Structures are given as structure tokens and as C-alpha cells.
Amino acid sequence: CALQPTECFLSQPEGKQESTVKAKRRKKKKISDILEKSAPKPGVPADLQNLLSQHFGENRSVIEIEELKLSGFFIAVCPKWAKLRKNHKEKKSVVMLVICSSALRSLELIKSMTAFRGDCRVLKLFAKHIKIKEQINMLEKGVFHVGVGTPGRVKALVEQDGLCLNSTKYMILDWNWRDQKLRRMMDIPEIKKETVDLLEMCIIKLCREGSVKLGLF
């Protein structure tokens, strides 16, 4: 007898199809995932220099990039702090400017600075719950020695002539501190951009002139 042709279908188990779909939907690696597997290295001055070179490298000439170099301007301590604090009498300025990634971190640093700051006056320079006009009025009326805040608000104060950095001697970047997601300030795009803008606006020029010393904390 002749054999009747039969239809044959190749089927894939349902579980296998699901696993294939899941494999395609792999999650993007987050910085927190990477940092959890390796001990974070503390930042060094070369990190900031490399950041500036990479940020401006595509649209700046060799001469302009050379002008951004900060070699020799970094510090570890403030040896003349007591004297500088005592002699500071100018309004609309601070002797030391500390840049952080958030208002909350700024408050933490202000609390931890108690022993160092002595009897000097500290001004909060961030946007959370504080209007920029209030900060401008305080700078115009009083003498402050230390300013602690975020790069965005500090930049806005400088642009509005509320804060003058010509009397500033030290600028400290809160470089190595990490938030709950294990991000440093330069890992946050907005904070990174605002910090670089602030550096380019006036800090790099003051560093090259020798009036400001730049440090990483």
C-alpha cells in the first residue's frame, strides 16, 4: 500500500521562547552595578585635568586646551587658614568655596566642619528652600568666610554679581563622596556640566593667576 504523506511541524517549547525574549531585554549596566563589584578608587588631581581635556577636546584648539591645564594649582591643606579668616573683611565674597553635588550633602559638610571653621561664618549656597535674592542680600550685608553649595547656584550668584570670587583663596570640590547610588559628583551629568561651566567661567583663570588654590576632597 502507498504511504500517505503527512505534515510535519517543528515546534519550540514555550519556555525556550520566553527565555529568548528575556535574553534580548538585558538591562543596561548602571554605575551602581559596576561599583558594587569593585572597590571605588579615590579621585586625584589628574582626574579633574582629564575631565576638562575630554570635555573641551572636541571643540577647542591645542592652545586653548593648554590654557585649561591646572598642574601645580592643587592643594591638600589650608596652611594659612587662621590668618586668612582673620583678615577677611570683604562683603559679597568668601575665602573658601566648597562645591558639592546636592543641598543635603552641603548640610552634612557644614556640620562636619565645626572644628575646622572655628568662629568663621558659613553661608549655604544651594537652591533648596533658599531664594537666590536672600543669598545676594546676605552677601551684600555681611562678611562670610566659607561658602558651601552646589555648582548651579554658585554659578548663578556669580552671573548675577551677587558673589565675587576675586577674594576667594581656596575652592574645594567634594570629589570623592558618593551618594546612595554610589555616584560621585562628576558621575551626575547635570552637576558635572555645571561644575565645568563654573571652572571655565572664572576659576581656571584665577587658578592660573595664582589667586585661587583648587583642591579635591
Side-chain angles (χ1 to χ4, degrees), residues 42-51 70 74-75 175 214-216:
V44 295
D47 292 335
L48 177 57
Q49 188 61 71
N50 291 335
L51 173 71
L70 292 166
F74 295 94
I75 58 161
W175 188 275
L214 185 61
L216 306 185

Side-chain angles (χ1 to χ4, degrees), residues 1-19:
C1 63
L3 293 173
Q4 296 295 323
T6 57
E7 291 183 331
C8 181
F9 297 96
L10 292 175
S11 61
Q12 190 176 16
E14 292 184 6
K16 217 169 186 179
Q17 287 180 338
E18 288 180 5
S19 63

Side-chain angles (χ1 to χ4, degrees), residues 32-46:
S32 55
D33 297 329
I34 298 170
L35 291 172
E36 279 177 356
K37 296 178 182 178
S38 60
K41 294 180 180 179
V44 295

